[in-house]
Amino acid sequence: MDQRLLVIDDSEELAEMIADHFDELGYAMDVAYNGRDAVDVLAKGFSGVVLLDYRLPDVDGLELLDRIADLPVTAKVIMITAHASIGMAMEAVQSKGAFYVHSKGEESMLERLTGTVTNAFAQLNLEQKLQSLEDQMGSRYSFASIITQSREM
């Protein structure tokens, strides 16, 4: 699987710092500075991990997270923000299936993000393998495949 990241953050400085960090680690990078541009990137069939700021100029991060769920994408979302409350973080993680990283402290944030991105890609990979196995098993053991035609019967 191509390891592609989409950074969505209205702070160009922070978005570029994150993109440069992951580019150096060998990830393919996309950057968007608002929700509208992010949806444009995602709608083109994005597959990978999305690093999503909670506060964007044109949309709330949780609202954009809902939009992402409605798009035909294969993605894990990591919410990143310095402004979030524990309640927002819990909502993103529990009800929306996102990961969460607090963005205070540049060096430690990049370390936390790197670990979380690695985990998100591992989860995506496992989900894709599971889907592949379910597809194989579904066709192999479908009702139609257990009915046979035999002269003896």
Side-chain angles (χ1 to χ4, degrees):
M1 178 174 122
D2 182 32
Q3 293 197 316
R4 176 166 291 284
L5 287 172
L6 169 59
V7 179
I8 308 168
D9 200 309
D10 60 325
S11 167
E12 289 185 31
E13 182 179 321
L14 181 61
E16 293 301 324
M17 179 191 70
I18 293 170
D20 289 345
H21 172 75
F22 284 101
D23 185 55
E24 289 176 10
L25 295 176
Y27 292 91
M29 298 301 307
D30 291 302
V31 178
Y33 302 109
N34 58 56
R36 182 178 28 82
D37 292 345
V39 170
D40 289 345
V41 171
L42 292 163
K44 294 176 184 171
F46 181 84
S47 178
V49 173
V50 176
L51 304 175
L52 173 60
D53 185 18
Y54 177 64
R55 289 190 180 175
L56 296 169
D58 59 340
V59 68
D60 174 82
L62 291 176
E63 182 182 328
L64 185 54
L65 186 57
D66 287 336
R67 282 196 209 162
I68 292 169
D70 294 336
L71 292 170
V73 298
T74 304
K76 289 293 174 191
V77 178
I78 301 170
M79 298 290 297
I80 53 173
T81 188
H83 308 288
S85 67
I86 295 297
M88 185 286 301
M90 295 302 288
E91 181 179 356
V93 171
Q94 290 178 338
S95 67
K96 313 243 185 234
F99 295 86
Y100 170 77
V101 173
H102 197 271
S103 64
K104 289 276 188 186
E106 189 175 298
E107 281 301 313
S108 61
M109 180 206 51
L110 289 175
E111 288 176 20
R112 290 189 308 271
L113 268 179
T114 301
T116 307
V117 165
T118 300
N119 291 339
F121 274 113
Q123 188 174 358
L124 266 177
N125 189 31
L126 287 173
E127 288 173 1
Q128 289 176 336
K129 285 180 180 179
L130 178 61
Q131 185 61 51
S132 176
L133 287 171
E134 286 175 347
D135 292 346
Q136 289 175 19
M137 299 308 282
S139 63
R140 186 176 198 180
Y141 296 107
S142 68
F143 185 73
S145 68
I146 62 172
I147 297 177
T148 185
Q149 302 228 354
S150 170
R151 282 191 238 167
E152 291 84 25
M153 295 182 82

